[in-house]
Amino acid sequence: MMFRTDLAVECRELAGKSLPAGVSYHEEIREDIKTISMHIQDDQGSHALGKPKGHYITVETPPFSEAGEDIDARLTAVSQALSSLLPKDGCILVVGLGNSAITPDALGPRTASRILATRHLKGEFVRAAGLDGLRSVAVLSPGVLGQTGMETGELLAGIVQHIHPSAVIAVDALASRSLDRLGCTVQLSDTGITPGAGVGNRRALINQESLGVPVIAMGVPTVVDALTLAADLTHPMPDDEPTIRKKIEPQGRGMVVTPKEIDLLIDRAAFLLSLSINAALQPTLSPQDLLSLVS
Amino acid sequence: MMFRTDLAVECRELAGKSLPAGVSYHEEIREDIKTISMHIQDDQGSHALGKPKGHYITVETPPFSEAGEDIDARLTAVSQALSSLLPKDGCILVVGLGNSAITPDALGPRTASRILATRHLKGEFVRAAGLDGLRSVAVLSPGVLGQTGMETGELLAGIVQHIHPSAVIAVDALASRSLDRLGCTVQLSDTGITPGAGVGNRRALINQESLGVPVIAMGVPTVVDALTLAADLTHPMPDDEPTIRKKIEPQGRGMVVTPKEIDLLIDRAAFLLSLSINAALQPTLSPQDLLSLVS
Amino acid sequence: MMFRTDLAVECRELAGKSLPAGVSYHEEIREDIKTISMHIQDDQGSHALGKPKGHYITVETPPFSEAGEDIDARLTAVSQALSSLLPKDGCILVVGLGNSAITPDALGPRTASRILATRHLKGEFVRAAGLDGLRSVAVLSPGVLGQTGMETGELLAGIVQHIHPSAVIAVDALASRSLDRLGCTVQLSDTGITPGAGVGNRRALINQESLGVPVIAMGVPTVVDALTLAADLTHPMPDDEPTIRKKIEPQGRGMVVTPKEIDLLIDRAAFLLSLSINAALQPTLSPQDLLSLVS
Amino acid sequence: MMFRTDLAVECRELAGKSLPAGVSYHEEIREDIKTISMHIQDDQGSHALGKPKGHYITVETPPFSEAGEDIDARLTAVSQALSSLLPKDGCILVVGLGNSAITPDALGPRTASRILATRHLKGEFVRAAGLDGLRSVAVLSPGVLGQTGMETGELLAGIVQHIHPSAVIAVDALASRSLDRLGCTVQLSDTGITPGAGVGNRRALINQESLGVPVIAMGVPTVVDALTLAADLTHPMPDDEPTIRKKIEPQGRGMVVTPKEIDLLIDRAAFLLSLSINAALQPTLSPQDLLSLVS
């Protein structure tokens, strides 16, 4: 099967016209922003969609690139979706997955670099700065397997055992099937990260079972796999697959389709995600305050 | 017509099996490296290939990404091709075209940032440092129209009139038709830059006619236009074009196909081009010396 | 003389307690922001202060690093000062001086990268986007002599003759005498850039005489020369100078004093300058609109 | 006490002319490169020098900035010093300390980004690529407390317990007392990192006691504290200290003295350190191979 997507809403489209058993689906539109809540309730639903059981929230926004766009509405939508998936109390560990040196894969690290870390703030200083009442937040961008020699899941397990967060937020660049979703869709879920997800085809499994705490995955599609686009355009028979693969991935190098302005797409998506995470984690601070604290 | 390529050798393939009248073609292989010299001699050849009259040299190398690869052979091939197109004397102005903030378009500026500028070196200092005998070189990365508000051709015309170079070398990221050429092909030509070339679809005409001095264009394909790939896969009738365009370029945003490791491709291509230009311009310095002088 | 400063207000302090003849001085405080207007009226004033004749406006702000600070007041102050020095009509060429690869010298290029270029916007598109009525603006960051092999003044002269701006704004990183001015002072003047100014000790003279149009210089101190600090601390006799110089500049390498967070200082200063320039040049656009148009 | 240095050789100079009891000292010069081995043997020596007991090796090289310099000799010297401190077998965890977004503090992360991670390479692939026989290496740049909310020592303890390296190499930017050591000295020691060391005044204790495995610290001075320079120039009485501190650190911001070309210094030092670490860890690979594998 050559179609690759990390988005539950696209898996649902691929599964056919009618909603599979074991899946609930709800959508809501407010100020040009559509929020879709899907719940894969059982193994039957999971099998039909090829995704783990759990809740998926998809926020579809107008293209990020439209100048003069007010980001308040999307910030509110994403931030509320995140809040609904997070435990109410306890320290949150925000993890930026991906390789900061590869532009289409840099969404996680760029987002993490703008998250307000507070876990170390203590005592007199905090009161003096008017920062008491902040939620405890730790942040890490561990890099990818090829850079570190360590599976990200393994590395996170060690850290989670030490700092005991109540949940992990894992931010990652995603692949979608449709080009018009690039930069325009935010997916959140409580299922964590599964092998093969993300732009870099991570091998790690990062979820509640592996880490012992809830893992909220959060991402924006930044690429379409070139093989997926090719399959979409040509509807190949299984026999044709090797020929297409040879044409699309010469020398076995993975090829992706992106807007030429991929750098801009990553910047804007990281900006939206970081603002939304900060707002969900620190409801006592205004967006203005948050902006001045993180850059 | 949906096929887009900046490469003369691909235009030749598109034009049919036999060589069009008015075009000469010669190829030579040495140590895994194929060098193709094409000469579009007259209007008939120019019309058949859709490219301006002039000389085109294409150096096809193994993929840049192969670890442990010796770059000496490709350096020699590119550097010799460049030397054959350059005037023997006089100051050379090297121009890096493209937008340094857009990764697939940053080849020109990245290459230019590693060119040894010498035009300002004079007198006692030069002799003391053992640098006399260097060819005079000036370097500029002017940015693109959207950043500067000035047509690059217009801007260069002003500078050329002031510093009177004997030739301009214009380095630019190219679009190819085939994915397997990305990062693996260097094209040089004495025809300059024509509107529509380059990853950013430059509007500028930069050639001997517009600047008054020879313009050597030099580049490496860094992307395939997604529309070109789609056309290649589907062989559409003219009527299908709007449908495909709508699917491939949602909201009119240009989409490109690149290796996921586009950042690495750009780095390696800029490294090869800058070494080759420095070697062609300063034959009295060793590659070792050039490396230590430019970074 | 070991004291080095690019700031007229510090030259005035160095010149003694009373105001020299030929110099006028006026200061005004509004919302924690002090604006000082100095006019060096004649040769006597110029000689006393060691600065060219002309108008100097200095805006002193609280430290940039204070979190949560509202930038509106400083934006207004700098933008008004700039407007008072600019011609009312005609195209403006904004030039970012300095080397973008050297952090303390990167203020000019970073500022320029956020200036809204409009000179190329024409016709139907402009009206459709509601952008008619914009002032014509061109932007360039030419790099420094060691990168380009061309004197910046020479290069700008060629461009000015082609595009005929009504004035040039030249943005540059400055050196101050006092550490507490780093990042907290903006100087504007109608005297242009004189050799020796800027963090990189530019050799170029860039002023109305050399370019034929008014040149507004604008900058923020990002470093104190280490020699200046040493002289300030030790009040050396002329005989001591070689000893101090040998200690402070081993191997003749220029040493500077900066905040450890020099990267942050540059970012914030470039943000303030770019916003102020955009606001002065495009009074019909709101700061919100300008922000969304330039990044 | 206002003198701050992370270098044992400078502590020794500060301690007086004769060598304190409990300290051994040996120096050796080869091809312009001086290697000093100091051993702080007991508490008396430790107290006299203000440094933990252990071995310190200092490699003093000509300035990094000299063009055309051959780096082979310094590579050999640093690599041999490192080998002498490392256990012969087992996985090595290389940690880049510091903040990659603050240029003078970015030495650790920049070095780590060029270390060849091998711990994940296994099985058929390794044999096919001729990479069997490589030493197992893991790499991490965790960021600093203000970015992560986690003490680096705490974070590393969690990871060390999971991957059980035989030793940790911790790379950090250092502060020296003398300006002429900036970029020209490499210090290695088996004492780990002590609070207050590094350009960012780390609070973490990272040593054999805290992590349970040997910790080799490795660094290059990239700054002189401005207070240290001021004290060196003025020899202040204790009473003068507040006055000097107020002048040097306005608003309490830490000020440092660096070469203007701090970016270049960091690049070259990170290049030397990464080459040296790779060579010490993978003696079966040539420098040429290592270069092609890490970038």
Side-chain angles (χ1 to χ4, degrees):
Chain A
M1 178 55 169
M2 295 169 74
F3 287 109
R4 169 149 178 255
T5 175
D6 295 316
L7 297 182
V9 291
E10 290 189 336
C11 293
R12 189 241 151 150
E13 288 164 13
L14 282 166
K17 285 218 158 167
S18 61
L19 196 64
V23 179
S24 75
Y25 181 99
H26 175 76
E27 65 180 56
E28 191 182 317
I29 298 184
R30 206 179 299 174
E31 292 186 56
D32 282 350
I33 294 179
K34 188 198 282 191
T35 300
I36 300 167
S37 302
M38 286 176 62
H39 184 193
I40 302 184
Q41 293 154 324
D42 56 26
D43 290 344
Q44 199 180 354
S46 172
H47 187 257
L49 264 54
K51 301 282 288 179
K53 281 180 282 186
H55 295 85
Y56 297 83
I57 307 179
T58 309
V59 180
E60 298 181 6
T61 73
F64 281 111
S65 56
E66 284 186 13
E69 201 71 36
D70 191 358
I71 79 150
D72 286 357
R74 38 188 103 169
L75 166 56
T76 304
V78 178
S79 171
Q80 284 179 351
L82 177 58
S83 294
S84 75
L85 296 172
L86 279 177
K88 297 293 161 253
D89 300 299
C91 175
I92 300 295
L93 172 61
V94 180
V95 179
L97 300 175
N99 186 336
S100 62
I102 291 182
T103 304
D105 198 25
L107 179 67
R110 294 269 183 91
T111 301
S113 73
R114 302 180 65 99
I115 299 300
L116 182 65
T118 59
R119 183 173 167 276
H120 59 302
L121 301 176
K122 269 162 200 154
E124 195 46 50
F125 163 78
V126 170
R127 270 186 299 278
L131 294 177
D132 40 356
L134 292 190
R135 184 166 197 172
S136 172
V137 176
V139 185
L140 194 71
S141 289
V144 298
L145 182 62
Q147 298 174 303
T148 66
M150 297 179 279
E151 288 287 355
T152 306
E154 182 184 15
L155 205 153
L156 291 180
I159 292 165
V160 163
Q161 283 172 29
H162 254 72
I163 74 166
H164 301 294
S166 67
V168 168
I169 298 174
V171 183
D172 203 0
L174 305 178
S176 67
R177 179 184 172 188
S178 311
L179 286 164
D180 59 6
R181 289 190 175 283
L182 297 183
C184 305
T185 294
V186 180
Q187 175 174 280
L188 306 98
S189 84
D190 59 7
T191 60
I193 303 286
T194 46
V199 172
N201 292 318
R202 326 268 177 243
R203 303 184 344 192
L205 183 74
I206 304 174
N207 62 13
Q208 176 143 17
E209 201 173 345
S210 71
L211 293 190
V213 299
V215 178
I216 315 301
M218 198 170 171
V220 170
T222 65
V223 302
V224 170
D225 265 18
L227 275 177
T228 297
L229 178 66
D232 240 345
L233 289 169
T234 60
H235 312 288
M237 296 290 111
D239 286 358
D240 305 333
E241 203 184 305
T243 317
I244 290 186
R245 193 176 286 273
K246 204 175 148 196
K247 183 177 189 110
I248 301 291
E249 301 197 331
Q251 305 113 25
R253 291 193 291 174
M255 292 284 167
V256 294
V257 192
T258 71
K260 220 158 21 192
E261 290 79 10
I262 176 68
D263 304 76
L264 199 55
L265 183 157
I266 297 289
D267 275 355
R268 292 190 172 168
F271 186 67
L272 172 62
L273 293 190
S274 61
L275 273 188
S276 304
I277 296 172
N278 284 329
L281 294 178
Q282 312 298 355
T284 62
L285 295 179
S286 69
Q288 182 87 356
D289 284 343
L290 284 165
L291 271 179
S292 71
L293 284 165
V294 293
S295 60
Chain B
M1 179 56 169
M2 294 169 74
F3 288 109
R4 172 156 172 250
T5 175
D6 294 317
L7 298 182
V9 290
E10 291 189 337
C11 293
R12 190 240 150 149
E13 288 163 15
L14 282 165
K17 284 218 159 166
S18 61
L19 194 65
V23 179
S24 74
Y25 181 99
H26 175 76
E27 68 180 53
E28 189 182 321
I29 299 186
R30 206 180 299 177
E31 295 185 52
D32 283 351
I33 294 178
K34 189 198 280 189
T35 300
I36 300 167
S37 302
M38 285 176 63
H39 184 192
I40 303 184
Q41 293 154 323
D42 55 25
D43 289 345
Q44 197 181 355
S46 172
H47 187 256
L49 265 55
K51 303 280 287 180
K53 281 180 282 184
H55 295 86
Y56 296 83
I57 308 179
T58 310
V59 179
E60 298 183 7
T61 74
F64 282 110
S65 56
E66 286 187 13
E69 200 72 35
D70 192 358
I71 79 149
D72 285 357
R74 37 188 101 166
L75 165 57
T76 304
V78 178
S79 170
Q80 284 179 352
L82 177 57
S83 294
S84 76
L85 296 173
L86 279 177
K88 296 297 159 249
D89 299 298
C91 175
I92 300 295
L93 172 61
V94 180
V95 179
L97 300 176
N99 186 336
S100 62
I102 292 182
T103 303
D105 198 25
L107 179 67
R110 294 269 184 91
T111 301
S113 73
R114 302 178 66 98
I115 300 300
L116 181 66
T118 58
R119 184 172 165 276
H120 59 303
L121 301 176
K122 268 162 202 155
E124 196 46 51
F125 163 76
V126 170
R127 269 186 299 277
L131 294 177
D132 40 357
L134 292 189
R135 185 166 194 172
S136 173
V137 175
V139 184
L140 193 72
S141 288
V144 298
L145 181 62
Q147 299 173 303
T148 64
M150 297 179 277
E151 289 287 356
T152 306
E154 184 183 12
L155 205 151
L156 291 179
I159 292 165
V160 163
Q161 283 171 28
H162 256 70
I163 73 167
H164 301 294
S166 66
V168 168
I169 298 174
V171 183
D172 202 1
L174 305 179
S176 67
R177 179 186 172 187
S178 313
L179 285 164
D180 59 7
R181 290 190 174 282
L182 297 182
C184 306
T185 294
V186 180
Q187 174 174 283
L188 307 99
S189 83
D190 58 7
T191 59
I193 303 285
T194 45
V199 171
N201 293 320
R202 327 266 177 248
R203 305 189 336 197
L205 181 73
I206 305 174
N207 61 13
Q208 176 145 14
E209 201 173 348
S210 71
L211 294 190
V213 299
V215 178
I216 316 301
M218 199 170 168
V220 170
T222 66
V223 304
V224 171
D225 266 17
L227 274 177
T228 296
L229 179 67
D232 239 344
L233 290 167
T234 59
H235 311 288
M237 295 289 111
D239 286 0
D240 305 333
E241 203 184 305
T243 317
I244 291 187
R245 194 176 286 273
K246 202 175 154 197
K247 183 179 188 108
I248 300 292
E249 302 198 329
Q251 304 112 26
R253 290 194 291 174
M255 293 283 169
V256 294
V257 192
T258 70
K260 219 155 26 191
E261 290 81 8
I262 175 69
D263 305 76
L264 199 55
L265 184 157
I266 297 290
D267 275 355
R268 292 191 172 167
F271 186 65
L272 173 61
L273 292 190
S274 61
L275 273 189
S276 305
I277 296 172
N278 284 328
L281 294 179
Q282 311 298 355
T284 63
L285 296 179
S286 70
Q288 183 86 357
D289 285 343
L290 284 165
L291 273 178
S292 71
L293 284 165
V294 293
S295 61
Chain C
M1 179 55 169
M2 295 169 73
F3 288 110
R4 171 153 176 253
T5 176
D6 293 316
L7 298 182
V9 291
E10 291 189 336
C11 293
R12 190 240 151 149
E13 287 163 16
L14 281 165
K17 286 217 158 167
S18 60
L19 194 66
V23 179
S24 74
Y25 181 101
H26 175 76
E27 68 180 54
E28 190 180 318
I29 298 185
R30 207 181 299 176
E31 294 185 57
D32 282 350
I33 293 178
K34 189 198 280 189
T35 300
I36 300 167
S37 302
M38 284 176 63
H39 184 193
I40 303 185
Q41 294 152 323
D42 57 24
D43 290 344
Q44 197 180 355
S46 171
H47 188 257
L49 263 55
K51 302 281 286 180
K53 282 180 283 184
H55 296 87
Y56 297 84
I57 307 179
T58 309
V59 180
E60 297 182 8
T61 74
F64 281 109
S65 56
E66 284 186 14
E69 199 74 35
D70 192 358
I71 79 149
D72 286 357
R74 38 189 102 169
L75 166 56
T76 305
V78 177
S79 171
Q80 284 178 352
L82 177 57
S83 294
S84 76
L85 296 172
L86 279 178
K88 297 296 159 249
D89 300 299
C91 175
I92 300 294
L93 172 61
V94 180
V95 179
L97 300 176
N99 186 337
S100 62
I102 292 181
T103 303
D105 197 26
L107 179 66
R110 295 268 184 92
T111 300
S113 73
R114 302 179 66 98
I115 299 301
L116 181 65
T118 58
R119 184 172 166 276
H120 59 303
L121 301 176
K122 268 163 202 154
E124 196 46 50
F125 163 76
V126 170
R127 270 186 299 276
L131 295 177
D132 41 356
L134 292 189
R135 185 167 194 173
S136 171
V137 175
V139 185
L140 194 71
S141 289
V144 298
L145 181 62
Q147 299 174 303
T148 65
M150 297 178 278
E151 289 288 355
T152 306
E154 185 183 10
L155 205 152
L156 292 180
I159 292 165
V160 163
Q161 283 172 27
H162 255 71
I163 73 168
H164 301 295
S166 67
V168 168
I169 299 175
V171 183
D172 202 1
L174 305 179
S176 68
R177 179 186 172 186
S178 311
L179 285 163
D180 59 7
R181 289 189 174 282
L182 297 182
C184 305
T185 293
V186 180
Q187 175 174 282
L188 307 99
S189 83
D190 58 7
T191 60
I193 303 286
T194 46
V199 171
N201 292 319
R202 326 269 176 245
R203 304 187 338 195
L205 182 73
I206 304 174
N207 61 13
Q208 175 144 17
E209 200 173 348
S210 69
L211 294 191
V213 299
V215 179
I216 315 301
M218 199 171 169
V220 170
T222 65
V223 303
V224 170
D225 266 18
L227 275 177
T228 297
L229 179 67
D232 239 343
L233 289 167
T234 58
H235 311 287
M237 295 289 114
D239 286 359
D240 304 332
E241 203 184 303
T243 317
I244 290 186
R245 191 175 287 272
K246 204 176 151 194
K247 184 179 189 108
I248 300 293
E249 302 197 330
Q251 304 112 26
R253 290 193 291 173
M255 293 283 170
V256 294
V257 192
T258 71
K260 220 157 20 192
E261 290 80 9
I262 175 69
D263 304 76
L264 199 55
L265 183 157
I266 297 289
D267 275 355
R268 293 192 172 167
F271 186 65
L272 173 62
L273 293 191
S274 60
L275 273 189
S276 305
I277 296 171
N278 283 328
L281 294 179
Q282 311 298 355
T284 62
L285 296 179
S286 70
Q288 184 87 357
D289 285 343
L290 284 166
L291 272 178
S292 72
L293 284 166
V294 292
S295 61
Chain D
M1 177 54 167
M2 295 168 71
F3 287 109
R4 169 150 178 256
T5 175
D6 294 316
L7 297 182
V9 291
E10 291 188 336
C11 293
R12 190 241 152 150
E13 289 165 12
L14 282 165
K17 284 217 159 168
S18 60
L19 196 65
V23 178
S24 76
Y25 181 100
H26 174 77
E27 66 181 55
E28 192 181 317
I29 298 184
R30 207 181 297 175
E31 293 186 54
D32 281 352
I33 294 178
K34 189 198 281 190
T35 300
I36 300 168
S37 302
M38 285 177 62
H39 184 194
I40 303 185
Q41 294 154 324
D42 57 24
D43 290 345
Q44 199 180 353
S46 173
H47 187 258
L49 264 54
K51 302 282 286 179
K53 280 179 285 185
H55 296 85
Y56 296 83
I57 307 180
T58 309
V59 179
E60 297 182 7
T61 73
F64 282 109
S65 56
E66 285 187 14
E69 200 72 35
D70 191 359
I71 79 148
D72 287 356
R74 38 188 102 167
L75 165 56
T76 304
V78 177
S79 172
Q80 285 180 351
L82 177 57
S83 294
S84 76
L85 296 172
L86 279 177
K88 296 293 161 250
D89 300 299
C91 175
I92 301 295
L93 172 60
V94 180
V95 180
L97 300 175
N99 186 337
S100 61
I102 291 181
T103 303
D105 197 25
L107 179 66
R110 294 268 184 93
T111 301
S113 73
R114 302 180 66 99
I115 299 299
L116 181 66
T118 59
R119 184 174 165 276
H120 60 302
L121 302 176
K122 267 160 203 157
E124 195 47 49
F125 163 76
V126 170
R127 268 185 300 277
L131 295 177
D132 41 356
L134 291 190
R135 184 167 195 171
S136 173
V137 176
V139 185
L140 194 71
S141 289
V144 299
L145 182 62
Q147 298 173 302
T148 65
M150 298 178 277
E151 288 286 356
T152 305
E154 182 183 15
L155 204 153
L156 291 180
I159 291 166
V160 163
Q161 282 171 28
H162 255 70
I163 73 167
H164 302 293
S166 66
V168 168
I169 299 174
V171 183
D172 202 0
L174 306 178
S176 67
R177 179 185 172 189
S178 311
L179 286 164
D180 59 7
R181 289 189 174 283
L182 296 183
C184 304
T185 293
V186 180
Q187 176 174 281
L188 307 99
S189 83
D190 58 7
T191 60
I193 302 286
T194 46
V199 171
N201 293 319
R202 327 268 177 242
R203 302 185 342 193
L205 182 72
I206 303 174
N207 61 14
Q208 176 144 18
E209 202 172 346
S210 71
L211 293 191
V213 299
V215 178
I216 316 300
M218 200 168 166
V220 170
T222 66
V223 303
V224 170
D225 266 18
L227 274 177
T228 297
L229 178 68
D232 239 345
L233 289 168
T234 60
H235 312 288
M237 295 291 110
D239 287 0
D240 304 333
E241 203 184 304
T243 316
I244 290 186
R245 192 175 287 273
K246 205 175 149 196
K247 183 178 189 107
I248 300 291
E249 301 197 331
Q251 304 114 24
R253 290 193 291 174
M255 292 283 169
V256 294
V257 191
T258 71
K260 220 158 21 189
E261 289 82 7
I262 175 67
D263 304 76
L264 198 55
L265 184 157
I266 297 289
D267 274 355
R268 292 190 172 169
F271 186 67
L272 172 62
L273 292 190
S274 61
L275 271 189
S276 304
I277 295 172
N278 283 329
L281 294 178
Q282 312 298 355
T284 63
L285 295 179
S286 69
Q288 182 87 356
D289 285 343
L290 285 165
L291 272 179
S292 71
L293 285 164
V294 293
S295 60

